[in-house]
Amino acid sequence: MGKFEMIPEARKSFLDSLFEAFSIIGDDTYVYLCDMQYDYSRWSKVLVELFGLPGEYMYGAGDIWEEHIHPEDREVFHEGIENIFAGKSSGHDMQYRARRKDGGYDVCTCRGIVIKDESGKAQYFGGAIRNHSRQSHVDKLTGLRNQYGFFLDVQSHINNQKVMRACVVGISGLTEINEIYGYEVGNAILQKFGRYLMDHVGARGGTYRMDGAKFAVITESLSYEDLENAYEEVRAHFREGVKKETLNIPIELNAGTLAVENFTTDDQTVYACLNFAYEDSKRNKHGDLVEFYNEINKDSRKHVEKLHDIRNSINNDFEGFYILYQPVVDAKTEKLVGAEALLRWKSERYGMVPPDGFIPFLENDPIFPILGKWILKQAMTDAKRVQEIMPEFVININLSYAQVERSDFVDTVWMIVDQVGFEPDKLCLELTERCRLLNVDLLRNVMTALRAGGIRFALDDFGTGFSSVGLLKELPFDTIKIDRGFVQKIEEDEQEKKLVNNFTQTAGIFETSVCVEGIETVGMRDILKKYSIHSFQGYYYSRPIEIEELLGALNSESGALCFHRD
């Protein structure tokens, strides 16, 4: 407490009076009030007891409360409080998970305002925290249990070691329905679907309204075959259409399911697996029911356990995560010009796990953007060390569609660039195959906003997707990266030579540079040098290496590192 100035008794008395006034109107909420001049607060007694806080009166309550907030939600909370005390914000309205005294988490909505004196100086910050987990778990629109109830029920099954099957079902195109017919029609569809689902499946399990157009089912009695049959009946019914006055609107569905037969996981991991299966149904299986890994066996359970451990690693200060760097060399001089950052995760139980072993499952998980921020910051921080030796060094970082589609993505990138003190024109963001699932207008807006400040963009795996050339036409890429699959046999395959030639000519039309991945032999290098290619990447030059190894090699060559092995 030494760093805080003691609050005078007069101000403390006024704080108590103001707190009582807040409490009268704080219907069914936990009230808090802070004297901003002394950073001295009074908090609701019920909240203090439930969450194990030091007491009703606290100095530095923001920092104390932050320690109780779930690691995934902590950064947003911290930034909001900093903005309030810095005078940049007059209040906040946010939702987060807070850790109770027993170690569990409750979902809370926190709303607060700054109270200023006559001169405009901030004096008090106060508001109310509504604990959704201690209130009704009923969705007001459909009458079903809501997603908070779903998470509680999943965790209850796990805690009590009850085998269950969970399923997420979603309505396709509800956004378009709302835009065309209005929200009244969209809400009527949600209500009718929820009722029908409960009537059809509810007797054999619980039915839940999740976020947006998604619903969920938990059952202890239905096998995969039973659930699939029930889903197909529901699917057929809604394909015939939902009637609303003179309208009859056909509805298409998507669904993913998972059997929970081991109990070393948690509710959030189960939901991440369900979302992965759901997205597979939506994007690749035309709405058919997809089971996580399409089988109920030991391998599937191992994947759930692995994902659970990975999520815990993210929450535990990214324990086990590290980045390797694969050098990129100039195609003419073969000297180092940059590197691609490649994420890895390692544990005693699973050994080293490459990103394709967990990224696809995490992309629909709320925790993923936190990992994405860590990758960006760590890669730029490491790249700055290289730039002390080689100032023109460019770092390439892969993006996930789950990062790019977030409304705060552009701001997040600039925030990290500023934090690290990184030169924007030495950063190249690579859009992977799955980013092509995003709306082109969204991608264009993101790219335009970041390229305006100097950041570069590369189209990864060029040629592997049916829309590669279309994307190159629509979006302002600086580089295309030709996938290794197009050059593996280039020493003896004339078709591959023609393809590479066509790719480089196409890039020339759009004034885009070309990088070829997967260079493994001197023969491949010699052939590819004949084309209009700007840079090479592959095991012929270097495997992915740790930052210290890269720095050591640079230091040994005084910054003029040549990676080829002739």
Side-chain angles (χ1 to χ4, degrees):
M1 190 181 293
K3 66 177 180 178
F4 298 104
E5 183 182 353
M6 294 294 292
I7 185 171
E9 280 299 321
R11 285 188 72 98
K12 183 177 180 298
S13 296
F14 186 76
L15 178 80
D16 285 336
S17 300
L18 199 55
F19 180 86
E20 297 301 331
F22 267 67
S23 298
I24 291 172
I25 61 174
D27 181 34
D28 200 22
T29 58
Y30 310 133
V31 172
Y32 63 91
L33 186 66
C34 174
D35 185 315
M36 296 178 69
Q37 182 175 337
Y38 295 91
D39 198 0
Y40 181 82
S41 302
R42 180 177 173 185
W43 287 48
S44 163
K45 184 176 181 180
V46 176
L47 183 146
V48 169
E49 292 176 350
L50 179 63
F51 293 95
L53 298 176
E56 291 181 64
Y57 296 94
M58 292 176 280
Y59 285 95
D63 292 336
I64 295 171
W65 185 235
E66 184 175 321
E67 290 301 313
H68 286 71
I69 291 177
H70 196 287
E72 296 174 23
D73 306 329
R74 199 170 289 167
E75 184 176 340
V76 173
F77 174 83
H78 181 83
E79 184 178 352
I81 295 298
E82 276 199 338
N83 287 339
I84 286 167
F85 275 83
K88 298 178 181 178
S89 175
S90 60
H92 70 193
D93 183 349
M94 62 178 67
Q95 191 172 91
Y96 49 70
R97 288 158 289 176
R99 188 181 69 252
R100 301 187 304 273
K101 186 164 54 177
D102 63 8
Y105 282 91
D106 285 351
V107 177
C108 299
T109 295
C110 181
R111 292 178 177 151
I113 60 168
V114 173
I115 302 172
K116 300 179 180 180
D117 62 18
E118 294 179 354
S119 67
K121 183 180 179 180
Q123 293 291 326
Y124 297 93
F125 173 59
I129 298 172
R130 185 176 297 277
N131 188 339
H132 299 286
S133 301
R134 299 284 145 173
Q135 298 170 345
S136 171
H137 296 302
V138 176
D139 174 61
K140 293 180 181 179
L141 180 65
T142 63
L144 300 175
R145 276 175 70 77
N146 60 22
Q147 61 182 333
Y148 308 120
F150 172 81
F151 290 131
L152 279 176
D153 291 351
V154 169
Q155 194 61 50
S156 176
H157 276 76
I158 293 170
N159 292 343
N160 293 302
Q161 299 192 4
K162 289 184 178 180
V163 173
M164 68 171 180
R165 175 171 289 282
C167 178
V168 168
V169 184
I171 299 171
S172 282
L174 186 66
T175 300
E176 289 76 10
I177 291 171
N178 287 332
E179 290 176 351
I180 296 171
Y181 302 109
Y183 282 93
E184 182 180 350
V185 173
N187 288 341
I189 289 173
L190 289 170
Q191 289 171 328
K192 291 184 178 182
F193 182 80
R195 173 57 57 182
Y196 190 88
L197 190 65
M198 186 175 68
D199 291 344
H200 233 66
V201 185
R204 294 169 286 181
T207 310
Y208 308 80
R209 164 82 192 285
M210 306 300 281
D211 59 312
K214 289 182 181 177
F215 293 76
V217 171
I218 297 175
T219 176
E220 297 177 20
S221 60
L222 292 178
S223 66
Y224 173 78
E225 291 73 19
D226 293 334
L227 188 64
E228 185 178 38
N229 290 335
Y231 172 65
E232 288 301 327
E233 290 176 15
V234 174
R235 198 178 178 191
H237 174 79
F238 281 94
R239 274 178 170 167
E240 294 179 3
V242 174
K243 293 181 174 58
K244 173 69 173 172
E245 299 176 352
T246 61
L247 299 172
N248 185 58
I249 305 171
I251 300 297
E252 288 293 336
L253 306 175
N254 313 291
T257 184
L258 168 71
V260 180
E261 297 174 306
N262 79 85
F263 309 106
T264 58
T265 184
D266 63 11
D267 55 337
Q268 296 297 323
T269 304
V270 168
Y271 194 50
C273 296
L274 284 171
N275 274 327
F276 177 78
Y278 177 86
E279 289 298 319
D280 192 22
S281 168
K282 181 178 179 180
R283 301 188 189 280
N284 304 316
K285 300 298 191 299
H286 306 290
D288 292 344
L289 179 66
V290 171
E291 183 164 19
F292 183 72
Y293 267 85
N294 200 32
E295 54 190 4
I296 312 170
N297 59 22
K298 188 160 60 177
D299 289 338
S300 182
R301 291 197 294 272
K302 284 183 178 178
H303 282 292
V304 177
E305 293 171 7
K306 184 190 297 181
L307 183 58
H308 176 66
D309 287 351
I310 289 171
R311 294 185 84 260
N312 283 341
S313 294
I314 295 173
N315 285 329
N316 193 23
D317 199 24
F318 307 98
E319 181 182 13
F321 284 97
Y322 62 101
I323 297 177
L324 298 180
Y325 298 91
Q326 185 167 38
V328 176
V329 304
D330 183 277
K332 291 182 179 179
T333 66
E334 297 181 272
K335 294 188 183 300
L336 182 72
V337 292
E340 179 180 355
L342 301 169
L343 181 68
R344 298 290 187 266
W345 179 73
K346 187 175 183 179
S347 74
E348 291 184 7
R349 184 178 183 185
Y350 298 105
M352 194 280 291
V353 180
D356 58 4
F358 59 89
I359 290 294
F361 311 113
L362 285 179
E363 283 184 311
N364 294 296
D365 192 308
I367 204 171
F368 185 79
I370 297 174
L371 179 60
K373 291 178 184 177
W374 180 85
I375 296 167
L376 285 166
K377 188 171 185 178
Q378 187 63 49
M380 280 189 257
T381 300
D382 287 345
K384 275 200 74 175
R385 297 176 64 192
V386 178
Q387 289 166 354
E388 292 176 6
I389 305 169
M390 181 178 290
E392 297 306 310
F393 179 87
V394 174
I395 187 67
N396 286 39
I397 305 174
N398 289 294
L399 298 177
S400 162
Y401 77 92
Q403 293 170 274
V404 180
E405 69 181 354
R406 287 177 62 91
S407 60
D408 63 349
F409 174 69
V410 171
D411 291 338
T412 296
V413 173
W414 286 126
M415 177 188 72
I416 296 172
V417 166
D418 289 341
Q419 286 177 350
V420 176
F422 200 80
E423 294 183 42
D425 63 344
K426 304 301 187 303
L427 173 62
C428 181
L429 301 176
E430 296 192 15
L431 294 180
T432 59
E433 175 67 25
R434 288 173 67 81
C435 286
R436 304 175 195 194
L437 300 172
L438 296 174
N439 179 275
V440 171
D441 291 333
L442 169 64
L443 284 173
R444 185 185 299 109
N445 290 339
V446 168
M447 293 173 67
T448 300
L450 293 174
R451 289 182 84 249
I455 293 174
R456 313 179 195 186
F457 277 86
L459 178 57
D460 198 16
D461 303 327
F462 184 81
T464 59
F466 67 90
S467 59
S468 287
V469 176
L471 281 176
L472 197 57
K473 181 180 179 182
E474 293 285 339
L475 300 172
F477 286 101
D478 300 279
T479 302
I480 65 169
K481 300 188 74 174
I482 298 177
D483 186 73
R484 64 190 302 273
F486 293 105
V487 298
Q488 281 184 308
K489 299 179 181 178
I490 199 166
E491 293 177 70
E492 63 269 4
D493 191 329
E494 291 299 319
Q495 284 188 332
E496 287 196 357
K497 294 176 184 176
K498 291 177 181 178
L499 276 173
V500 170
N501 184 55
N502 288 338
F503 289 159
T504 56
Q505 288 182 347
T506 300
I509 293 172
F510 297 103
E511 298 181 347
T512 303
S513 65
V514 178
C515 174
V516 177
E517 301 177 292
I519 310 298
E520 296 178 357
T521 68
V522 65
M524 293 172 68
R525 179 205 65 178
D526 290 344
I527 291 171
L528 289 166
K529 273 178 168 284
K530 299 174 183 177
Y531 300 95
S532 298
I533 295 168
H534 302 81
S535 56
F536 291 147
Q537 183 178 345
Y539 273 54
Y540 172 72
Y541 294 100
S542 175
R543 70 190 190 285
I545 56 179
E546 294 186 7
I547 186 63
E548 298 301 336
E549 186 175 352
L550 178 59
L551 288 168
L554 281 168
N555 282 319
S556 67
E557 295 287 340
S558 301
L561 183 61
C562 181
F563 268 97
H564 72 79
R565 301 182 297 188
D566 286 357

